């Protein structure tokens, strides 16, 4: 009997926003640590976290209905293009 394949899990825009929020704090703390220690090495993992956050934003901050990117600023409650509610 063939195993049933699941579709790949897709985050909602709000879930992606939550992940980005959880990555933001360590990135900021690493940058502050680099300034406090006057050492640039903690900036490398902070930069890596910023890249991961940008990739998540690019991939998942889209309207679930039309697939167009959502505005990056302000609170977004609905898609400005198709009017779909963002949950």
């Amino acid at each position: 009997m063939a195993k049933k394949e699941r579709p790949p899990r897709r985050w909602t825009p709000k879930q992606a926003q939550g992940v980005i929020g959880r990555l933001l704090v360590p990135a900021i703390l690493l940058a502050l640590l680099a300034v406090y220690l006057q050492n640039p090495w903690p900036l490398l993992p902070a930069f890596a976290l910023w890249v991961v956050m940008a990739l998540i934003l690019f991939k998942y901050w889209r309207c679930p209905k039309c697939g167009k990117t959502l505005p990056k600023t302000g609170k977004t409650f609905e898609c400005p293009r198709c009017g779909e509610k963002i949950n």
Side-chain angles (χ1 to χ4, degrees):
M1 196 156 113
K3 190 174 184 182
K4 229 173 131 176
E5 288 191 39
R6 291 187 201 175
R9 180 167 185 238
R10 180 143 175 93
W11 290 343
T12 65
K14 296 296 181 180
Q15 288 172 328
Q17 189 178 30
V19 171
I20 290 171
R22 285 186 216 108
L23 293 176
L24 182 64
V25 173
I28 291 172
L29 290 176
L30 284 168
L32 289 174
L33 180 68
V35 170
Y36 178 74
L37 296 176
Q38 297 178 352
N39 187 348
W41 291 108
L43 289 176
L44 290 175
F47 179 73
L49 287 173
W50 283 103
V51 169
V52 168
M53 287 187 286
L55 290 173
I56 291 171
L57 186 66
F58 177 75
K59 182 167 174 121
Y60 294 109
W61 192 244
R62 297 180 175 276
C63 173
K65 184 177 178 185
C66 68
K68 301 289 184 187
T69 58
L70 296 169
K72 308 281 190 289
T73 59
K75 292 191 181 251
T76 304
F77 298 105
E78 64 181 30
C79 177
R81 292 171 187 85
C82 71
E84 177 76 10
K85 297 268 186 220
I86 305 299
N87 53 3

